[in-house]
Amino acid sequence: MLKQPAMGDRNMSRRLKASLFILLIVSSAAGSAVAQNDPLPSWNDGAPKKAIMDFVGRVTKDGGADFVPVEERIATFDNDGTLWNEQPMYVELAFTLQEVAKMAPNHPEWQTAQPFAAVLHHDMKAMAASGDEGMMKLFLATHSGMTEEQFEQTVSEWLAASQHPKFKRPYTECVYQPMLELLAYLRANGFKTYIVSGGEQGFMRPLTEKLYGVPPEQVIGTQFKSQYVMKTDAPVIERMAGVLSIDDGPGKPENIQRFIGRKPIAAFGNSDGDIQMLEWTGSNAKPNLELLVHHTDAGREYAYDRQSSMGKLDKGLTEAAEKHWVVVDMKADWKVVFPGPNAQN
Amino acid sequence: MLKQPAMGDRNMSRRLKASLFILLIVSSAAGSAVAQNDPLPSWNDGAPKKAIMDFVGRVTKDGGADFVPVEERIATFDNDGTLWNEQPMYVELAFTLQEVAKMAPNHPEWQTAQPFAAVLHHDMKAMAASGDEGMMKLFLATHSGMTEEQFEQTVSEWLAASQHPKFKRPYTECVYQPMLELLAYLRANGFKTYIVSGGEQGFMRPLTEKLYGVPPEQVIGTQFKSQYVMKTDAPVIERMAGVLSIDDGPGKPENIQRFIGRKPIAAFGNSDGDIQMLEWTGSNAKPNLELLVHHTDAGREYAYDRQSSMGKLDKGLTEAAEKHWVVVDMKADWKVVFPGPNAQN
C-alpha cells in the first residue's frame, strides 16, 4: 500500500518524493487496470455479455432509476445444463443407475420388477417405456432409507470415483467456466445466488459450496419426505421414500416463494423446466434479467434442444423470442466451456 | 478518524502534537467503552446471561478450541412465546378468529358447521372440543384461496388495526426486548439468525424483517400447498387449502435440514414443540447452546408452563434439567419485557 506523505511535511528528500511520484503513477495505473478488468473473461463480446453487464450496471447504480437494494438482488440458477453438463444423462441419473446395480444383490426382486430389471439388464427401451414414473421409482429406491449424513457420504464417494464418459474427467470438473464467472460477478455486485434445480436437494448440497460457492441454505431442489427419529445415542433425520415437492416447471416458482419469499430479479436456465422460473422473475416490477443457455456446441460439449430427452428446450426457445429473454449460443458466446488447463476449448 | 502522523515528519508544531495526543487518548477511551458495552442490557446478571455470553465468546475466539467458522454459526428461534407474546392466544389464532367472522357472510354454511359455528357463536367449549383438527380447518379456510401478495396485505392491515387485549398495544409491540438484544448480539458476532416456528410462513414473513431484522429467506414455518398459475397478465402463486409441512415438534429439525441443510449451533424456544429442535442442535459435534424461555411473570406478562393450552412447557422443562439446557426465568432474568417507554416493566 502506498502511504501518503503528511500535509505538513517539508523535509522529505527529493529522492523519496520522486519515488512516491512513480509509485503513485504505478498505483493509479493498477487501479484503473482493476477497474477495467473483465469480470467475464470467458464470454465473447456479444449480446448476452452486454445484456448481463448492462443489467448489473443499472441495478447497482446508486441513485439511478433502476437501482435495486442489495437485499432484493436475488438470482436463481438452474443446475443441470445451466451450471454443469447434463448429457448424455443427468449426473444424478448416472449415480442412480450405478446405485441400483450396487444395491441389486440385496434386492433379488429387482431382477424381474420394472424399471429395475431394465437398468440391471441395460434394456434402454424398457427403461424409456417406464417414463417419469419409472425414473421416480429409481430415485426413491436409491435416495431413501438412510440418514442425510449417510446419503451425503455415498454421493461424495461416488463423485470422487466417477468420470464423465465423453470428457474423461470427474463430473465435478464438467461445470461451465463462463457460468462460474457469472456467479462470482453477481455476488461481487451484492447478489445472493441460489440454485433452483430439479435435482434432489441432498444430492446437490455436498457439491454446491465447493463447485459454485453456493452454501447449502441457498440450494433448492426436489425434496423427498423425511423423518426425525430419536435413536438411543442421538437423533437422526431419515430420508423417506416419498416425494414432498418436485422442483421443476411450476414447482420452481412455488419453491422460490416457499424458501426465499422474494421474487428474483435474475434467473438462469436452459430447458423447458425453467420456463416458469423465468416467467416469474420476468413479472418482477423491478428491473430483471432472464437468460437461457442454448447448447449449440457439438464439438466442445453437446448440441441439443427441441428433441432432447434430457434438458429439452422447445417451448422455452419460442417463448424466449417473445419475451426478450437472453439466449446464450454456447458455441458463439463462450470462449471456453470447462475450467482448467485440460478444458475442451 | 484519527490520522497518524507520517514517520519522517519532524516539523510538526508542538500544538498539533498535543492535540493528536489528546485525540489518541479520547479515541482509545471510546474504543474501550465500546468493548465494555453490555450487548444484553435488558438481561439481569445471572446464569442465562452468563451462559449466552460465554458461549458466544468461545465460538468466536479465533484460534480457540471451541471456535466455529462464521458459515456454521446458525441460530434458530421459535417465534410464539420465544420472540413475542402468545397469551391469551397465539397472535395468528386471534387473526384467524377475526377472519372467520369477517368471511362468515359469504359462508352461510359456517353458521352450523363446526368448528366455524363455535367461533361465530363464541362457544369456547365446542371450539376446544374440535381440537387440533378443528384449528387446522380454521387456518386453512382463512389462509388459502388467495395469492401470496393478497394474504400478505390482509395480515399487514389486520396487524395495523389490532391490539393486544391485556397490554393495549399493537401485537407488533409485544415482542420481547431481551430477545431483540440477543438476536442483534448474535448477528454482530457473525451468526445467521433464523425463525423456525409453528406459525404459517406467509403470516410471519410480512413482519419478521421489521420486528426482528430477520429477512424472509430466513423464516421457516408451517407451509401450506401452493400453485403457480399463469393469469392473462402475469403469473401468481395461489395459496391452497392443504398442508405441506407442519413446522412443529419433529417438523422443526426436518424443516431445518430441508431449508438450511446445516445443524444449528444455537436454538431458542419456550415450549414442548421446541424439544426436537433443541435436541437436534444439542447433537451438533460443535459447541452448542440450547435455551428455553420460561414464562414466570404473571405481572409483567403471563405465568404458564405444564398446564397451558398455548405454549405448553412440560416435558421440555423436565428434559432441560437432564440435558443442561439454559432455562430463562422471565421474572428474575429479564429487566424489561417489552420495548419502548410504555413497556410494562
Side-chain angles (χ1 to χ4, degrees):
Chain A
M1 283 205 16
L2 179 66
K3 206 161 184 179
Q4 296 284 341
M7 298 284 279
D9 182 5
R10 289 178 192 136
N11 285 355
M12 187 184 282
S13 76
R14 291 178 62 93
R15 177 179 270 176
L16 183 55
K17 278 188 181 164
S19 307
L20 280 172
F21 184 62
I22 289 165
L23 267 173
L24 269 168
I25 290 171
V26 171
S27 155
S28 157
S32 101
V34 167
Q36 287 168 14
N37 247 356
D38 184 352
L40 302 173
S42 299
W43 293 69
N44 284 314
D45 290 329
K49 183 173 181 172
K50 187 176 182 311
I52 293 166
M53 296 189 65
D54 282 356
F55 170 72
V56 171
R58 285 191 292 125
V59 300
T60 56
K61 194 185 169 186
D62 216 341
D66 286 346
F67 179 77
V68 176
V70 165
E71 63 272 18
E72 293 177 41
R73 293 182 204 157
I74 303 287
T76 55
F77 288 81
D78 170 59
N79 186 30
D80 299 308
T82 299
L83 295 179
W84 75 353
N85 169 275
E86 65 181 353
Q87 297 288 355
M89 67 174 81
Y90 302 125
V91 179
E92 190 170 358
L93 181 56
F95 164 79
T96 300
L97 300 184
Q98 292 204 15
E99 282 296 294
V100 168
K102 202 175 89 180
M103 294 165 72
N106 295 321
H107 294 271
E109 75 280 9
W110 285 359
Q111 294 299 328
T112 51
Q114 294 299 5
F116 302 96
V119 175
L120 297 175
H121 306 132
H122 307 286
D123 182 348
M124 291 302 159
K125 210 169 145 187
M127 217 159 85
S130 77
D132 285 351
E133 204 187 325
M135 195 94 93
M136 190 50 79
K137 277 187 188 167
L138 297 176
F139 281 123
L140 288 173
T142 53
H143 286 58
S144 70
M146 71 289 280
T147 67
E148 283 290 343
E149 284 175 356
Q150 287 164 343
F151 183 66
E152 184 172 324
Q153 194 179 337
T154 303
V155 171
S156 297
E157 285 171 5
W158 178 81
L159 279 166
S162 308
Q163 67 171 17
H164 189 278
K166 175 173 173 178
F167 306 119
K168 307 294 181 201
R169 46 161 63 195
Y171 288 109
T172 48
E173 292 175 20
C174 298
V175 294
Y176 303 134
Q177 175 63 25
M179 297 305 283
L180 299 183
E181 293 167 7
L182 177 55
L183 283 162
Y185 175 51
L186 290 175
R187 286 195 291 260
N189 281 281
F191 281 76
K192 206 166 187 176
T193 53
Y194 281 84
I195 289 170
V196 180
S197 164
E200 201 273 330
Q201 278 189 182
F203 181 82
M204 294 188 287
R205 281 182 172 162
L207 305 170
T208 53
E209 181 99 59
K210 210 176 71 179
L211 293 191
Y212 310 124
V214 176
E217 63 267 31
Q218 285 161 229
V219 177
I220 303 169
T222 290
Q223 301 135 51
F224 293 162
K225 290 178 180 168
S226 63
Q227 192 173 20
Y228 177 85
V229 182
M230 192 67 202
K231 301 276 185 185
T232 46
D233 51 343
V236 296
I237 290 181
E238 287 179 353
R239 298 169 60 89
M240 311 294 285
V243 175
L244 188 75
S245 170
I246 294 184
D247 193 54
D248 195 36
K252 291 200 175 194
E254 290 162 11
N255 278 320
I256 286 171
Q257 178 61 31
R258 174 142 32 95
F259 279 73
I260 311 177
R262 303 185 199 261
K263 202 178 271 191
I265 63 165
F268 305 88
N270 78 300
S271 79
D272 283 358
D274 298 314
I275 290 176
Q276 288 87 348
M277 176 167 78
L278 269 62
E279 280 175 353
W280 183 238
T281 304
S283 73
N284 199 323
K286 297 283 168 91
N288 53 79
L289 176 75
E290 296 78 41
L291 182 149
L292 287 172
V293 175
H294 188 192
H295 293 261
T296 52
D297 198 331
R300 296 187 301 178
E301 205 235 9
Y302 289 89
Y304 60 98
D305 46 38
R306 296 184 191 269
Q307 307 299 327
S308 181
S309 64
M310 311 267 161
K312 177 177 173 175
L313 178 63
D314 180 19
K315 189 164 173 275
L317 216 43
T318 307
E319 211 165 311
E322 295 163 8
K323 301 198 167 158
H324 307 292
W325 295 345
V326 177
V327 178
V328 170
D329 177 337
M330 184 184 273
K331 193 172 181 181
D333 292 320
W334 286 1
K335 281 191 189 130
V336 301
V337 175
F338 301 125
N342 300 317
Q344 298 215 352
N345 293 328
Chain B
M1 287 219 353
L2 180 64
K3 205 163 183 177
Q4 296 285 340
M7 299 284 279
D9 182 4
R10 289 179 191 132
N11 285 354
M12 187 182 281
S13 75
R14 293 177 63 90
R15 177 179 269 175
L16 182 55
K17 279 191 183 162
S19 306
L20 280 172
F21 184 62
I22 288 164
L23 267 174
L24 269 167
I25 290 173
V26 171
S27 155
S28 157
S32 101
V34 167
Q36 285 168 16
N37 247 357
D38 184 352
L40 301 173
S42 300
W43 292 69
N44 284 315
D45 291 329
K49 182 173 181 171
K50 187 175 182 313
I52 293 167
M53 296 190 65
D54 282 356
F55 170 73
V56 172
R58 286 191 292 125
V59 300
T60 57
K61 195 186 169 186
D62 215 341
D66 286 345
F67 179 77
V68 176
V70 165
E71 63 271 19
E72 292 177 42
R73 292 183 204 157
I74 303 287
T76 55
F77 288 81
D78 170 59
N79 186 30
D80 299 307
T82 299
L83 295 180
W84 75 353
N85 169 275
E86 65 180 354
Q87 297 289 355
M89 69 174 82
Y90 302 125
V91 179
E92 190 171 356
L93 181 56
F95 164 79
T96 299
L97 300 185
Q98 293 205 14
E99 282 296 294
V100 167
K102 202 175 91 181
M103 293 165 72
N106 295 321
H107 294 272
E109 75 280 9
W110 285 359
Q111 294 298 329
T112 50
Q114 293 299 5
F116 301 97
V119 175
L120 297 175
H121 305 134
H122 307 285
D123 181 348
M124 291 302 159
K125 210 169 146 188
M127 216 159 84
S130 77
D132 286 350
E133 204 187 325
M135 195 93 95
M136 190 51 78
K137 277 186 190 166
L138 297 176
F139 281 122
L140 288 173
T142 53
H143 286 57
S144 70
M146 71 289 281
T147 67
E148 283 289 342
E149 284 174 357
Q150 288 164 342
F151 183 66
E152 184 172 323
Q153 195 180 336
T154 303
V155 171
S156 298
E157 285 170 5
W158 177 81
L159 278 166
S162 307
Q163 67 171 18
H164 189 279
K166 175 173 174 178
F167 306 119
K168 308 293 180 203
R169 47 160 63 195
Y171 288 109
T172 48
E173 292 175 21
C174 298
V175 294
Y176 303 134
Q177 175 63 25
M179 297 304 283
L180 299 183
E181 293 166 7
L182 178 54
L183 282 162
Y185 175 51
L186 290 175
R187 286 195 290 261
N189 282 281
F191 281 76
K192 206 166 187 175
T193 53
Y194 282 83
I195 289 170
V196 180
S197 163
E200 200 273 331
Q201 278 189 182
F203 182 82
M204 294 188 287
R205 281 181 172 161
L207 305 170
T208 53
E209 180 99 59
K210 210 176 71 178
L211 293 192
Y212 310 124
V214 175
E217 62 266 32
Q218 285 161 229
V219 177
I220 304 168
T222 289
Q223 301 136 51
F224 293 161
K225 290 179 180 167
S226 63
Q227 192 172 19
Y228 177 85
V229 182
M230 192 68 203
K231 300 277 184 186
T232 46
D233 51 342
V236 296
I237 290 180
E238 286 179 353
R239 298 170 59 89
M240 311 294 286
V243 175
L244 189 74
S245 170
I246 294 184
D247 193 55
D248 195 37
K252 291 200 175 194
E254 290 162 11
N255 276 320
I256 286 171
Q257 178 61 31
R258 188 171 303 130
F259 278 72
I260 311 177
R262 303 185 199 260
K263 203 179 272 191
I265 64 166
F268 306 87
N270 78 299
S271 79
D272 284 359
D274 299 314
I275 290 176
Q276 288 88 347
M277 175 167 78
L278 270 61
E279 279 176 354
W280 183 239
T281 305
S283 73
N284 199 324
K286 296 282 167 90
N288 54 78
L289 176 74
E290 295 78 43
L291 182 149
L292 287 173
V293 175
H294 188 191
H295 293 260
T296 53
D297 198 331
R300 295 186 302 178
E301 205 235 10
Y302 290 88
Y304 60 98
D305 47 38
R306 295 184 192 269
Q307 307 299 326
S308 180
S309 65
M310 311 266 162
K312 177 177 174 175
L313 178 63
D314 180 18
K315 190 165 173 276
L317 216 43
T318 308
E319 210 165 312
E322 294 163 9
K323 301 198 166 158
H324 308 291
W325 294 344
V326 176
V327 177
V328 171
D329 178 337
M330 185 184 271
K331 193 172 181 180
D333 292 322
W334 286 0
K335 281 191 189 131
V336 301
V337 175
F338 301 125
N342 300 319
Q344 300 215 352
N345 292 327

